[in-house]
Amino acid sequence: MRNTRHLVLSASLLVALTGCKSAPKSEAPAAPAGPTMETAKGPRIYVTDEVSGELTVIDATTMKQLEQLKIGTRPRGIHASPDGKTLYIALSGTPIGGPGVDESTLPPSDHSKDGIGVFDIAANKLLKIIPGGSDPENFDLSKDGKKLYVSNEDESAVSIIDIDSGKIDATQKMGAQPEGVKTSPDGSFVFVTSEAGGTISVLDPKTGKITATFPVGHRPRNVAFTPDGKTAYINAENDGTVTVIDVAKKKIVKTIELGKPGEVKPMFVLMSPDASKLYTSTGRGGKVVVIDTKTQAPVGDVAVGKRPWGIALSPDGSTLYTANGPSNDVTAVDLATMTVKAKAPSGGSPWGLVVLP
């Protein structure tokens, strides 16, 4: 009886095991696909990463990183062509120095890596590198988009580059450590800052000559013009100020203090689309300061990250983006509320940025 019961139970168990289908395994829901260059909609932010040698692309709507592209050695200055189809990127084979660095300990410069990268936005790739003079750091374009005016930091010079031919038309000596380059609104002259000299050199694009030099403060970095070209704003990094320049007279008419020198180190200046505001990144100050161009005084600021350098505006002018070098990210600031909306990771030490529709 015990054996019979055992056989029945065994048979029943076998039938149950062989007759039942195993339950399907539960599957985790598929993770939503991240944004790509093809799926991203709206403006894109293109960021030069000085240390990693990359161009980071960020979806400005979602603040998600789309791509990181190897672009060349030490990319810094970046500008778009007037038609928005091409990016030009300053590349340099000169090792990174800066305050507190003993340059005698640095490896020699490799000038074979110097140049201006030409990046096709639709194809999403670097097409070629054209000459940009020695150690190109920053630059601007002529109004017709045919010429580049490039600061050559280690040669204390500024070069004029013909884009189509890829040749240097002229190179002029100027004050030491040139950096910021800005073409006037009418294209008739170009301002180039001399960090070490504390001056502005005025370049005549037609003759290729420096026509004037005048003082603007200690370690000037960049330039912003009012739309009529009559006034220029230049940040003096070591003074912690922005100087207001009468362009016709080539003289300082006002000095705007942003904070204690050394604690606030203004790095970049940018005019709002309606010219009512000037935005200034403050480097180790960690903020962007807003200046009212009517009162010529600061009216607000917002903390954005570690050592903000380059800044740019969204196409509609409602959002400001900052490249924060040490924290390797980009911050989006809502200008209506002066609050940080979001941050996006970038590559190694973001330097400059451009925002395109």
Side-chain angles (χ1 to χ4, degrees), residues 157-297:
V158 56
S159 296
I160 301 177
I161 315 298
D162 182 86
I163 295 175
D164 288 341
S165 69
K167 294 181 178 179
I168 299 175
D169 285 346
T171 298
Q172 285 290 308
K173 290 290 185 180
M174 56 164 288
Q177 297 181 20
E179 181 178 333
V181 184
K182 190 68 175 179
T183 305
S184 65
D186 65 2
S188 64
F189 61 91
V190 181
F191 273 10
V192 188
T193 68
S194 165
E195 293 179 25
T199 59
I200 290 290
S201 291
V202 184
L203 175 70
D204 183 332
K206 291 183 179 179
T207 65
K209 304 291 185 183
I210 299 294
T211 61
T213 299
F214 60 95
V216 290
H218 295 95
R219 204 169 173 80
R221 288 286 194 172
N222 285 284
V223 181
F225 287 106
T226 52
D228 59 11
K230 294 181 178 180
T231 304
Y233 295 83
I234 300 161
N235 51 316
E237 179 189 355
N238 286 357
D239 296 335
T241 64
V242 170
T243 56
V244 185
I245 305 297
D246 182 312
V247 172
K249 295 179 180 179
K250 299 178 179 60
K251 295 175 91 173
I252 298 174
V253 294
K254 187 175 179 60
T255 299
I256 304 171
E257 296 184 359
L258 303 183
K260 185 178 179 180
E263 293 181 2
V264 173
K265 297 176 76 71
M267 308 303 286
F268 202 92
V269 285
L270 180 66
M271 191 68 66
S272 67
D274 64 1
S276 67
K277 301 289 189 299
L278 182 82
Y279 305 108
T280 307
S281 60
T282 61
R284 69 178 59 180
K287 296 180 178 182
V288 168
V289 175
V290 183
I291 294 171
D292 186 308
T293 57
K294 288 184 178 180
T295 63
Q296 308 289 23

Side-chain angles (χ1 to χ4, degrees), residues 25 45 47 73 86 132 139 142 146 175 178 220 245 255 309 311 320:
K25 294 181 180 179
I45 310 166
V47 190
T73 303
T86 305
F139 61 94
S142 60
K146 295 181 178 181
I245 305 297
T255 299
W309 192 288
I311 52 179
L320 182 136

Side-chain angles (χ1 to χ4, degrees), residues 304-309 322-331 343 349-350:
V304 292
K306 294 181 180 179
R307 201 175 69 87
W309 192 288
T322 69
N324 311 314
S327 53
N328 298 328
D329 58 20
V330 171
T331 298
K343 291 194 174 190
S349 194

